[in-house]
Amino acid sequence: MTDSTQMAQTGILDKLTPSTVAGLVGKSLTKRNRGETVFQAVGIGAISLAVVLVLILFGSVFSKGLPAFWQMHINLDVTFSEDRIKVAAAPVREDFANDAEYQDARNKWVNSLNFVNYNALLLDALSKHIPEANDDRRAALALVTSGERFALRDLIANDPSVIGQTLPLTLLADANVDVWLKGNIDRSLPDEQQQLSAQTREWADRLYAEGIIENNFSTALFMNSDSRSSLASAGLAGAFMGSLFMMLIVIVLAVPIGVCAAIYLEEFAPTNRLTSLIEVNINNLAAVPSIVFGLLGASVFILAFGLPMSAPVVGGLVLTLMTLPTVIIATRSTLKAIPPSIREGAMALGASKVQAITGHVLPLAVPGILTASILGVAQALGETAPLLLIGMNAFVTSVPTSPLDQATALPVQIYLWQGNELRNFFEGRTSAAIVVLLAMLITLNSIAIWLRKKFETRW
Amino acid sequence: MEATMTNATASTAEQKIQDRTVPESTVGEVHVENPRMTARAVDVYYGEKQAISNVNLDIGLGQVIAFIGPSGCGKSTFLRCLNRMNDTIDVCRVEGEIKIDQDDIYDPRIDVVQLRARVGMVFQKPNPFPKSIYENIAYGPRIHGLVKSKVELDEIVESSLTRAGLWNEVKDRLDQTGTGLSGGQQQRLCIARAIAVSPEVILMDEPCSALDSIVTAKVEELIHELREQYTIVIVTHSMQQAARVSDRTAYFHLGKLVEVGETKQIFTSPTHELTQDYITGRFG
Ligand SMILES: Nc1ncnc2c1ncn2[C@@H]1O[C@H](COP(=O)(O)OP(=O)(O)OP(=O)(O)O)[C@@H](O)[C@H]1O
Ligand SMILES: [Mg+2]
């Protein structure tokens, strides 16, 4: 058919001899190659820009956050002298008829510990290094963060035998001492702009030089919950537990519900008006701003259902609603990607639809479903706005022990801390909290990658 | 205006065929003495569109019957009616009566699972499960509860693979994935998978179209051996293949069954003009 004599008509194809074609292709090739180079350059540029921005972000967060994991501590030999601790002997179980009576007596005794003058104990200990400490008691006591008085009380309560002994203790320094010694405040500022008195600053410098005050890794950030009276011991434990409870609720609710909904919609649902309406709504739901879910949570879960304010259970439910569309959409696209020949193969052998799905489709979809779920959970973990609307920005000083207790969440804690008046101290604290949050997110994503690799089917 | 002579010739040939009327009733003997499956007045619709109209056909016990015909004429559609695989297509509607051993397969009391255990299917593209070779074969017997012990299951796996002529090639790597086999091996694995549930009928939709000629020869040989135990329906585009493997041949055209008869007769002296044109390769 290439023989031109057979052609009924001559057209453009006849004018294209091999040599002209070669020339034209060569010409267009230069253009195409240029296009390709430009495209690659743009791509590489975009990636470089993204990498640089991420590095800047991580760099600034880590450079501020990591030092905050180390805090100034004062090493003191605290004498629990009987002169200072004038309380009755601790009750012993054997002296009582039953547990209830013993508990009663013990509670009374622990209560009596609240009247001990712990400042006096601290002053005694400080005087060993600063003989003139008693001349300016306020200045001396300002070295140790206020929360450590309760730590001393708890020490006695847990082990009454310490009374009369001298123990070497490592106490947290006050937040302002931390700021001063780390140089996070301009040392040349005049006295009235300094948070600490001149005397305290002088003593702090002296103890630091003598090695009595040391910059050590601090567990306060992880073990304590938020605090306003003793800023140096403010920690993330409460927020961490709050986030953990919410994540558990999201995993337990959003993942199974989302996956089941996706399987039904994708594999079983008939195609009709109703299902396409549902489909459109799910897609729309994924685009609804998260703060709207917070409003919904406040009006439905708290007002209508009477669930407690500020509780992780409400936060978890709100985040579940928010995560559901993500999980459903991602699971459906995973299911769509499974070749229909696998389903047909199973059904042709006599497998029922459910058997074909559970036996052949789902195993292939597991990696995708897991990835989708974990990314959904990670998204929920970092969510702040809806939690503010259900009161999870409350100031909570105790670590929640159940999803019904009051709590905050990690991102909310970050939000609260970055607004704290003591900027110099909380800037580091905030960054440290961000580091913890990032660490959790990276862990979740790594788990997602690991699971995907583990369950991936090799074709 | 036609650009080339070749196009013009093809066009006139098509025109000629268009002019030939597709017969209302099938030419040749649709009945056999000893049918395993019978189809009577079968119409199939995809939504509004009719894909099969008024097909009557017997599928003889222990015979191989080949479906041939131009692309889009409804061979696959009719084949898929025989094990109700069309049920999986929402818009597809089947009318008429299809029976296997006197049981109406579209009877609501018949469970489609049971039917498919009796009428197995092999697809055009090999579709082994992305699981081990052993699991590929064992799946069917297991879901139907055909075996009571691991020993019996092992036996089924071995004999199915042996019948499919694959045992010697894979016996040392039963735990390797079925998708790692070559195309021909995969297709024989799929045949072994179908055999493993001891079906009465095996439907094959162009089982060799994705395979090269050597592997095709192997599969054809296999079909030859399987005819002893199973009734086989095979759709093929290769006239030679139909001639080599089948006892009877059915020629479909535009959704109608035009002619059916002994394979030898169809290929040597077709009755209908459409069949003649197709056999002699004038179109298709
Ligand atoms: N799922 C479907 N939905 C709608 N129409 C369909 C569907 N499957 C097949 N058809 C139509 O039904 C007719 C018959 O198709 P079928 O697949 O049975 O042809 P065939 O003879 O197997 O062709 P081929 O030789 O190319 O495989 C065609 O016109 C096709 O377009
Ligand atoms: Mg077909």
Side-chain angles (χ1 to χ4, degrees):
Chain A
M1 82 185 279
T2 44
D3 194 347
S4 55
T5 55
Q6 272 194 9
M7 297 279 170
Q9 207 188 32
T10 52
I12 178 128
L13 280 175
D14 304 303
K15 293 190 198 119
L16 291 173
T17 62
S19 60
T20 51
V21 167
L24 288 172
V25 169
K27 226 190 261 168
S28 76
L29 207 60
T30 342
K31 207 172 146 194
R32 272 183 273 176
N33 285 345
R34 199 170 51 232
E36 220 147 287
T37 321
V38 168
F39 192 83
Q40 274 200 8
V42 169
I44 292 174
I47 287 184
S48 319
L49 188 67
V51 167
V52 166
L53 289 178
V54 167
L55 283 182
I56 290 175
L57 173 80
F58 273 55
S60 85
V61 166
F62 278 84
S63 67
K64 277 189 204 147
L66 289 181
F69 288 105
W70 278 262
Q71 267 183 274
M72 293 296 167
H73 291 82
I74 309 182
N75 298 309
L76 292 177
D77 291 326
V78 179
T79 307
F80 295 88
S81 72
E82 278 130 338
D83 297 345
R84 300 279 189 205
I85 308 169
K86 295 199 183 71
V87 291
V92 188
R93 175 67 188 87
E94 283 84 65
D95 300 343
F96 293 91
N98 55 39
D99 276 338
E101 276 178 34
Y102 167 68
Q103 267 314 323
D104 215 38
R106 180 162 162 87
N107 287 346
K108 268 194 198 121
W109 178 75
V110 169
N111 204 29
S112 71
L113 289 177
N114 287 333
F115 300 100
V116 173
N117 185 355
Y118 296 100
N119 282 340
L121 293 184
L122 287 175
L123 268 177
D124 290 348
L126 283 166
S127 318
K128 292 176 195 162
H129 304 287
I130 315 167
E132 67 276 30
N134 272 307
D135 299 344
D136 189 347
R137 297 177 175 204
R138 279 184 55 133
L141 287 170
L143 288 168
V144 181
T145 193
S146 62
E148 295 295 18
R149 280 93 177 145
F150 303 108
L152 294 180
R153 179 197 62 190
D154 294 343
L155 203 83
I156 303 173
N158 288 336
D159 182 9
S161 68
V162 299
I163 298 174
Q165 290 185 30
T166 300
L167 297 180
L169 296 178
T170 302
L171 303 174
L172 266 177
D174 189 79
N176 285 308
V177 173
D178 193 82
V179 170
W180 171 255
L181 288 175
K182 280 181 178 167
N184 286 339
I185 189 167
D186 187 354
R187 286 184 162 234
S188 59
L189 285 178
D191 275 0
E192 60 274 17
Q193 286 183 35
Q194 291 284 359
Q195 301 284 340
L196 294 171
S197 67
Q199 183 66 82
T200 310
R201 287 181 339 237
E202 189 209 314
W203 284 338
D205 280 336
R206 192 193 323 163
L207 291 180
Y208 188 61
E210 288 172 7
I212 308 294
I213 295 185
E214 276 180 331
N215 193 16
N216 287 334
F217 187 79
S218 166
T219 51
L221 192 63
F222 304 106
M223 304 307 289
N224 301 344
S225 58
D226 200 10
S227 170
R228 271 178 201 168
S229 56
S230 174
L231 297 178
S233 37
L236 282 173
F240 184 87
M241 284 309 288
S243 278
L244 200 69
F245 281 129
M246 288 196 290
M247 257 169 60
L248 286 179
I249 290 170
V250 171
I251 290 173
V252 167
L253 291 180
V255 174
I257 294 177
V259 170
C260 288
I263 292 175
Y264 180 78
L265 282 175
E266 194 57 41
E267 306 279 347
F268 293 98
T271 36
N272 57 27
R273 279 253 182 85
L274 183 68
T275 44
S276 50
L277 188 76
I278 291 175
E279 217 162 289
V280 168
N281 274 310
I282 288 173
N283 291 340
N284 282 341
L285 222 51
V288 169
S290 58
I291 196 149
V292 176
F293 285 100
L295 274 176
L296 178 91
S299 62
V300 174
F301 295 127
I302 296 178
L303 288 181
F305 293 176
L307 288 171
M309 281 275 281
S310 315
V313 66
V314 179
L317 289 173
V318 168
L319 294 180
T320 298
L321 285 181
M322 217 194 70
T323 317
L324 262 179
T326 316
V327 175
I328 293 178
I329 291 171
T331 306
R332 287 191 68 181
S333 62
T334 310
L335 290 174
K336 259 198 198 95
I338 310 276
S341 65
I342 296 293
R343 281 163 248 246
E344 287 202 322
M347 305 232 292
L349 279 177
S352 64
K353 204 160 182 177
V354 174
Q355 279 175 324
I357 289 167
T358 53
H360 299 281
V361 176
L362 280 187
L364 291 175
V366 160
I369 292 176
L370 283 175
T371 315
S373 311
I374 292 180
L375 291 183
V377 172
Q379 185 194 350
L381 177 66
E383 200 55 64
T384 321
L387 302 183
L388 300 181
L389 292 183
I390 55 165
M392 291 200 70
N393 53 343
F395 172 66
V396 183
T397 53
S398 58
V399 179
T401 51
S402 89
L404 290 166
D405 290 348
Q406 291 206 326
T408 71
L410 277 177
V412 179
Q413 187 71 69
I414 291 169
Y415 169 77
L416 292 174
W417 275 356
Q418 71 84 36
N420 192 290
E421 315 85 70
L422 190 49
R423 290 284 314 142
N424 295 332
F425 184 69
F426 274 97
E427 208 167 50
R429 268 287 203 263
T430 310
S431 297
I434 295 175
V435 170
V436 171
L437 184 61
L438 283 178
M440 277 180 86
L441 289 172
I442 291 172
T443 311
L444 275 179
N445 287 337
S446 318
I447 293 175
I449 292 170
W450 178 74
L451 285 174
R452 193 167 54 208
K453 282 268 170 303
K454 185 170 149 64
F455 288 105
E456 214 160 41
T457 312
R458 263 164 282 284
W459 289 80
Chain B
M1 256 264 186
E2 307 299 332
T4 66
M5 287 293 286
T6 344
N7 269 358
T9 337
S11 156
T12 30
E14 238 157 59
Q15 200 57 48
K16 222 163 91 194
I17 283 145
Q18 296 278 299
D19 295 344
R20 284 180 189 154
T21 46
V22 182
E24 271 317 305
S25 61
T26 306
V27 181
E29 189 49 71
V30 297
H31 303 285
V32 295
E33 251 174 53
N34 206 355
R36 168 123 271 170
M37 296 189 82
T38 55
R40 293 289 173 266
V42 173
D43 292 327
V44 184
Y45 302 85
Y46 289 111
E48 294 297 302
K49 193 171 149 256
Q50 186 159 16
I52 289 285
S53 57
N54 193 27
V55 168
N56 295 283
L57 184 64
D58 283 0
I59 292 162
L61 181 68
Q63 281 192 328
V64 178
I65 182 166
F67 291 177
I68 59 171
S71 186
C73 67
K75 307 180 294 290
S76 300
T77 302
F78 184 66
L79 188 77
R80 291 161 60 90
C81 291
L82 299 178
N83 70 342
R84 289 180 57 181
M85 277 306 277
N86 282 333
D87 290 12
T88 59
I89 300 167
D90 283 338
V91 293
C92 187
R93 204 173 81 245
V94 180
E95 287 171 5
E97 182 194 78
I98 301 177
K99 283 182 171 176
I100 178 166
D101 297 340
Q102 306 311 316
D103 303 327
D104 183 353
I105 68 169
Y106 281 90
D107 187 323
R109 279 168 303 180
I110 287 272
D111 195 328
V112 68
V113 165
Q114 213 169 9
L115 171 70
R116 289 186 191 144
R118 293 171 74 181
V119 185
M121 186 160 189
V122 176
F123 295 83
Q124 180 170 1
K125 235 180 106 224
N127 60 345
F129 302 130
K131 300 188 172 187
S132 73
I133 295 172
Y134 186 94
E135 278 304 313
N136 262 281
I137 311 288
Y139 182 69
R142 200 178 280 144
I143 56 168
H144 292 303
L146 300 187
V147 288
K148 285 184 210 69
S149 66
K150 174 91 169 74
V151 182
E152 283 179 343
L153 193 58
D154 288 349
E155 210 179 301
I156 284 197
V157 171
E158 177 170 351
S159 55
S160 308
L161 283 170
T162 310
R163 269 189 210 175
L166 198 59
W167 176 249
N168 285 328
E169 287 161 68
V170 301
K171 64 177 173 219
D172 300 322
R173 45 172 174 154
L174 289 177
D175 53 346
Q176 284 178 22
T177 138
T179 40
L181 297 171
S182 76
Q185 288 173 326
Q186 287 190 18
Q187 194 61 301
R188 280 181 287 153
L189 180 65
C190 292
I191 294 175
R193 184 173 78 182
I195 292 173
V197 290
S198 302
E200 295 159 27
V201 182
I202 302 176
L203 311 176
M204 300 185 179
D205 194 350
E206 302 183 41
C208 300
S209 66
L211 309 177
D212 70 31
S213 57
I214 296 171
V215 183
T216 300
K218 263 192 180 159
V219 174
E220 283 179 11
E221 204 177 302
L222 171 60
I223 294 171
H224 221 75
E225 284 161 19
L226 294 177
R227 68 173 354 131
E228 320 239 308
Q229 275 125 342
Y230 311 96
T231 299
I232 294 173
V233 185
I234 179 170
V235 172
T236 176
H237 268 144
S238 153
M239 246 86 71
Q240 292 84 346
Q241 183 169 69
R244 279 194 298 265
V245 301
S246 68
D247 302 305
R248 288 170 82 225
T249 297
Y251 174 69
F252 286 80
H253 191 97
L254 290 177
K256 296 219 164 73
L257 176 56
V258 173
E259 184 166 356
V260 58
E262 297 293 322
T263 298
K264 207 181 277 165
Q265 177 258 313
I266 294 278
F267 281 98
T268 51
S269 52
T271 314
H272 199 273
E273 289 170 306
L274 282 168
T275 324
Q276 271 169 22
D277 288 342
Y278 186 74
I279 302 283
T280 49
R282 243 170 279 168
F283 70 97

